[in-house]
Amino acid sequence: MTIASEITRINNNIANAYTACDSKGATMPVTQNSANLATCIDSIQTGGASSKYGATLDSMLGDVDNNGVLQFPTGQADLVFTGVEEVESFALQYKFYRCFGVATVSFPDLTSLNHLGTVAGYEFYYAFTDCNLTSINFPVLATVGSQRAFQRAFAGSTLPTATFTSLATISGQYAFQNAFSDCTNLTTLSFPALTSTAFGSYTNQFNNMLSGVTGCTVHFPSNLQSVIGSWSSVTAGFGGTNTTVLFDLPATT
Amino acid sequence: MQTKTTYKGYLNNVFGIYCGFCPQGLDITEQVPVYYPDEGKVFVKDGEEYAAVVLQEGESINDYQEVEESDNDL
């Protein structure tokens, strides 16, 4: 062992430590030397953001105020679940319930929710209820086969519009039950990709989806008129007041 | 409990369903009565809650129980 090789080893260790800090959302110093390492590590414990979701521990678990009171968590303003292609049953139920700080939610890679069985599904059950949502984004979500996958998921939020761009199949019973209930700002919902074989053997996927909502317009592909146009939940405006249902989107398969 | 009418039909060549109101110029193809519970209440049948009910063949509104809305929000 030489002095030079020992210095190289220590330098590598410091560099590795900074790499680990960065992955855990630490505040990275301009000069990454041994003198700044302790402060960098401490920034993880005092509000560093998760490299996966951009969320801080304080926002998720609640901060502790000057009087030692653990506060209700606010949630992170902008949640982006990059890389999440599936969600396990119950994984997000109530996870952000009444986290008033959550404003936008995006699952850019989520393709399906497809857990079948009597004790399965419920992936987003009450997940974002009563949040101050301004947008939700599920751009590649194609299949919802799970029961109650989105039940009350966005209820009571301030969401103004929502479009499920790629959603072709909703075969899980009660999948969107009460999903947007009491969203008093909601004016438009769109399901442009739903197909005529989207629903399997159930007709209750949209029960009460808009209860407590007034004046919302829901858009479907034109070919779905003959499929869901006579469903009770659709005829009843999804439980909302003065709901309009239009089959005005381009026909799908 | 109250009843409102849902109007189905074509407006500007687009088929639509209008719940509780009828837009001017709608070429009506069907009218359906829809039952709504009183404020703060829901209908319950077979353990499931309904914010509005369209009666199916052979059903009576008496098949649904009108109860206080459960406080699912904790």
Side-chain angles (χ1 to χ4, degrees), chain A residues 12-95:
Chain A
N12 287 341
N13 286 345
I14 291 172
N16 290 339
Y18 273 110
T19 300
C21 287
D22 194 20
S23 72
K24 297 182 186 309
T27 302
M28 303 301 288
V30 174
T31 304
Q32 296 179 4
N33 56 21
S34 60
N36 291 329
L37 187 55
T39 302
C40 183
I41 292 171
D42 190 52
S43 73
I44 298 172
Q45 300 169 335
T46 57
S50 158
S51 60
K52 286 186 177 175
Y53 313 123
T56 65
L57 276 177
D58 286 350
S59 72
M60 300 309 300
L61 297 178
D63 200 358
V64 179
D65 69 13
N66 292 334
N67 298 316
V69 177
L70 176 63
Q71 299 169 328
F72 195 91
T74 59
Q76 190 72 16
D78 303 304
L79 288 168
V80 182
F81 289 78
T82 303
V84 175
E85 298 176 13
E86 249 286 11
V87 176
E88 287 190 346
S89 292
F90 310 100
L92 290 170
Q93 67 169 346
Y94 287 103
K95 192 69 74 180

Side-chain angles (χ1 to χ4, degrees), chain B residues 5-53:
Chain B
T5 301
T6 286
Y7 299 88
K8 300 183 180 183
Y10 291 88
L11 184 63
N12 300 323
N13 294 319
V14 171
F15 185 80
I17 298 173
Y18 301 88
C19 306
F21 69 103
C22 182
Q24 195 169 19
L26 180 70
D27 182 7
I28 299 171
T29 58
E30 187 180 3
Q31 298 183 44
V32 182
V34 180
Y35 294 85
Y36 293 83
D38 290 335
E39 182 82 20
K41 295 187 175 183
V42 292
F43 292 120
V44 175
K45 184 183 180 187
D46 298 332
E48 289 296 331
E49 295 184 353
Y50 298 89
V53 163

Side-chain angles (χ1 to χ4, degrees), chain B residues 1-4 34-39 41-43 53 55 60-62 64-66:
Chain B
M1 178 174 63
Q2 60 175 321
T3 307
K4 296 180 182 177
V34 180
Y35 294 85
Y36 293 83
D38 290 335
E39 182 82 20
K41 295 187 175 183
V42 292
F43 292 120
V53 163
L55 295 180
S60 158
I61 193 59
N62 295 326
Y64 293 82
Q65 193 177 2
E66 189 174 0

Side-chain angles (χ1 to χ4, degrees), chain A residues 101-155:
Chain A
V102 177
T104 70
V105 176
S106 181
F107 283 79
D109 303 307
L110 180 64
T111 56
S112 72
L113 300 170
N114 209 23
H115 296 99
L116 309 182
T118 54
V119 190
Y122 295 76
E123 291 89 341
F124 286 83
Y125 188 79
Y126 281 80
F128 300 100
T129 304
D130 290 349
C131 292
N132 286 316
L133 292 177
T134 56
S135 75
I136 57 173
N137 189 27
F138 295 83
V140 296
L141 179 61
T143 302
V144 177
S146 303
Q147 64 172 329
R148 303 184 193 273
F150 284 104
Q151 183 164 339
R152 280 199 181 270
F154 315 107

Side-chain angles (χ1 to χ4, degrees), chain A residues 153-207:
Chain A
F154 315 107
S157 76
T158 50
L159 198 63
T161 66
T163 298
F164 288 84
T165 310
S166 304
L167 188 53
T169 299
I170 308 177
S171 55
Q173 63 173 333
Y174 307 117
F176 278 79
Q177 177 150 297
N178 293 100
F180 300 97
S181 291
D182 303 315
C183 291
T184 52
N185 293 344
L186 190 66
T187 59
T188 308
L189 267 180
S190 294
F191 297 91
L194 285 176
T195 67
S196 58
T197 57
F199 305 102
S201 57
Y202 295 110
T203 62
N204 54 21
Q205 286 87 334
F206 299 119
N207 277 10

